[in-house]
Amino acid sequence: MSRRMLVAGNWKMFTTSGEGVILIQDLTGLVRDCWDEVEVAVCPPFTGLKAASTVIEIDGLSIALGAQDMHWEAEGAFTGAVAPRMLTDLRCNYVIVGHSERREYFGETNETVNNKVRAVFGAGMVPIMCVGESLATREALETESFVRNQVMEGAAGLDSAQASKLVVAYEPIWAIGTGRTPTPEAANDVCRSIRATIGAMYGPPAATSVRVLYGGSVKPENAKMFFDEPDVDGALVGGAALKADSFAGIVKAAL
Ligand code: PGA
């Protein structure tokens, strides 16, 4: 079974809603020929979701929409938080969960990640669950066991249909925004191990279907090297997703 490549742009805390609309329109002109073959997603800040959703719908674009976070409760007194149905209401398809910046600056744990992963599925969306090791963990040669534990705890309690739809983004923390990357082979080793972990939890069909993305300093110049690896099913892109031409170059590398 061949998995559909997914290239998702994580805009982090960079775009106003107007800037997001322009970015989507510029991107559309460049990737329109690709989106039958490669799934393209953009993940604006919460404040940009409504405008992005509207331009995607009105212009009939085959671009998926993702949020960068979500609370797991259906509603409640959680000032500043956003609930699942607020995102489905805006036709979000994906939610990034457990990005290393959320873990580092907002105290997310594997337990909160798991609450969110299950709530995203519960609302009918698909989580892009981020995992990845620090430089200290890598230098201690503990990357695979660390990431395996993140996957086991973060993706616990799903049913096998959900596990098959899951997207896991392997993002070594030391590669995010730094210009440094692992070799494609080293990235593939961790992606393969993530797939095997999902297989051990949910069975071989889930292992075959789960999509594992690489993230961390992906650019048009290096994307194809990662995409050529057998266990890499696309990319989660930060900095290079903020310019239409560089993001489009990454999408084209996935063809
Ligand atoms: P980067 O970020 O592409 O700027 O390294 C990736 C990410 O944080 O998802």
Side-chain angles (χ1 to χ4, degrees), residues 125-158:
M125 298 177 287
V126 172
I128 300 175
M129 183 180 84
C130 300
V131 297
E133 81 289 357
S134 66
L135 195 54
T137 300
R138 167 148 296 243
E139 284 173 349
L141 305 179
E142 288 168 357
T143 295
E144 286 200 17
S145 60
F146 180 84
V147 170
R148 187 183 314 122
N149 187 56
Q150 284 185 315
V151 173
M152 286 174 60
E153 294 189 3
L158 306 181

Side-chain angles (χ1 to χ4, degrees), residues 99-117:
H99 190 282
S100 61
E101 288 148 17
R102 301 285 323 166
R103 295 179 191 256
E104 184 174 353
Y105 306 129
F106 299 92
E108 297 221 359
T109 62
N110 289 341
E111 187 182 354
T112 58
V113 168
N114 182 241
N115 287 338
K116 292 179 181 190
V117 164

Side-chain angles (χ1 to χ4, degrees), residues 34-117:
C34 312
W35 64 40
D36 285 345
E37 281 180 68
V38 181
E39 187 175 3
V40 179
V42 294
C43 304
F46 286 132
T47 51
L49 287 171
K50 170 80 177 159
S53 174
T54 302
V55 70
I56 287 169
E57 182 171 46
I58 290 179
D59 291 354
L61 312 180
S62 292
I63 292 180
L65 186 63
Q68 297 175 20
D69 184 35
M70 188 192 84
H71 200 289
W72 60 88
E73 293 285 353
E75 60 181 20
F78 300 104
T79 300
V82 169
R85 72 188 185 94
M86 299 169 188
L87 299 180
T88 53
D89 181 51
L90 295 176
R91 295 181 292 274
C92 283
N93 314 94
Y94 292 102
V95 183
I96 298 172
V97 175
H99 190 282
S100 61
E101 288 148 17
R102 301 285 323 166
R103 295 179 191 256
E104 184 174 353
Y105 306 129
F106 299 92
E108 297 221 359
T109 62
N110 289 341
E111 187 182 354
T112 58
V113 168
N114 182 241
N115 287 338
K116 292 179 181 190
V117 164

Side-chain angles (χ1 to χ4, degrees), residues 10 12 99 171 175-177 216-217 236-239:
N10 172 12
K12 305 194 182 186
H99 190 282
E171 301 202 304
I176 294 176
S217 296
L236 182 58
V237 185

Side-chain angles (χ1 to χ4, degrees), residues 11 20-28 42 52 55-56 61 63:
W11 294 354
V21 168
I22 291 169
L23 188 47
I24 288 171
Q25 288 173 330
D26 289 350
L27 185 64
T28 300
V42 294
V55 70
I56 287 169
L61 312 180
I63 292 180

Side-chain angles (χ1 to χ4, degrees), residues 190-228:
V190 184
C191 293
R192 188 195 312 118
S193 158
I194 290 168
R195 190 178 307 289
T197 304
I198 294 294
M201 295 169 77
Y202 295 108
T208 306
S209 302
V210 64
R211 287 186 292 178
V212 185
L213 313 183
Y214 169 73
S217 296
V218 177
K219 300 181 175 60
E221 300 77 39
N222 64 16
K224 188 165 177 354
M225 293 190 310
F226 292 105
F227 298 158
D228 280 346

